[in-house]
Amino acid sequence: MLENTSKLDRRSFLKKICNLFSFIGLFISMVLYLFYAFPKQIKKKKVVYVYACEEEDLPVQGVRKYYIDIPLHEKAVTKKTFIVNTGKELFALSAVCTHLGCLVSWYRHENRFRCPCHIGQYDIRGNVVAGPPPAPLDRLPLKIEHQKVYIGLRI
């Protein structure tokens, strides 16, 4: 008599089921890895120049704080920025600490920007002086047209 070799015993059946689930798990893991490792091209934010002040209102020496209203998605968002005049150069700095995103303040008597969250400190040019911030404050593009000062913000 010939034996029927097409029958699967329990052990072979379970082995095939385990192999199938392992393959499915591996396939899903690889797809997820590829999805997170190689995301679609990151959408680049464009620079939008927003009115900050009149040219005559710029600081003659030192730092001045400005609050800029930006229309974003049908509502206004206020951004805090600083315009710095060192006597040799004029530039704008973001008020966002590079450590955890808290807003820094300018302390004129110390000649430093300080973050209230984790005691991060920056000099007048925005370079890290003390504390945990990993990078200097972001410099923002600044332009003057027709006696009006505009600061470039990434939106």
Side-chain angles (χ1 to χ4, degrees):
M1 284 176 79
L2 294 173
E3 282 186 35
N4 189 357
T5 56
S6 65
K7 279 189 170 182
L8 287 177
D9 62 345
R10 186 184 303 194
R11 184 174 301 232
S12 298
F13 175 75
L14 289 175
K15 194 175 193 181
K16 287 187 184 231
I17 291 293
C18 287
N19 287 341
L20 177 68
F21 281 124
S22 297
F23 175 75
I24 291 171
L26 180 65
F27 179 76
I28 291 172
S29 298
M30 289 303 292
V31 168
L32 290 175
Y33 169 76
L34 292 174
F35 179 72
Y36 287 107
F38 303 104
K40 292 179 183 176
Q41 182 180 3
I42 296 171
K43 184 178 177 183
K44 293 183 180 177
K45 295 181 179 182
K46 62 181 180 175
V47 175
V48 176
Y49 284 89
V50 182
Y51 173 79
C53 67
E54 297 292 324
E55 187 175 14
E56 62 192 29
D57 295 331
L58 286 172
V60 177
Q61 184 76 26
V63 178
R64 186 169 288 165
K65 171 178 47 178
Y66 293 90
Y67 290 99
I68 300 173
D69 292 325
I70 305 166
L72 189 64
H73 304 295
E74 299 179 8
K75 59 182 171 179
V77 175
T78 302
K79 297 280 185 179
K80 181 179 174 184
T81 60
F82 295 99
I83 295 181
V84 180
N85 188 348
T86 63
K88 296 180 181 177
E89 61 180 329
L90 180 71
F91 55 90
L93 291 174
S94 170
V96 178
C97 178
T98 57
H99 179 234
L100 291 177
C102 301
L103 294 179
V104 300
S105 296
W106 172 250
Y107 290 84
R108 188 170 41 114
H109 62 279
E110 295 178 14
N111 206 27
R112 290 190 176 177
F113 293 100
R114 292 183 63 196
C115 176
C117 298
H118 295 97
I119 319 300
Q121 295 182 24
Y122 303 88
D123 65 10
I124 195 167
R125 286 182 165 64
N127 298 318
V128 178
V129 176
L137 292 173
D138 291 333
R139 282 209 177 187
L140 304 172
L142 180 79
K143 71 178 181 179
I144 301 172
E145 290 180 350
H146 309 293
Q147 287 80 37
K148 295 186 187 294
V149 179
Y150 298 91
I151 296 177
L153 300 172
R154 284 177 176 53
I155 298 176

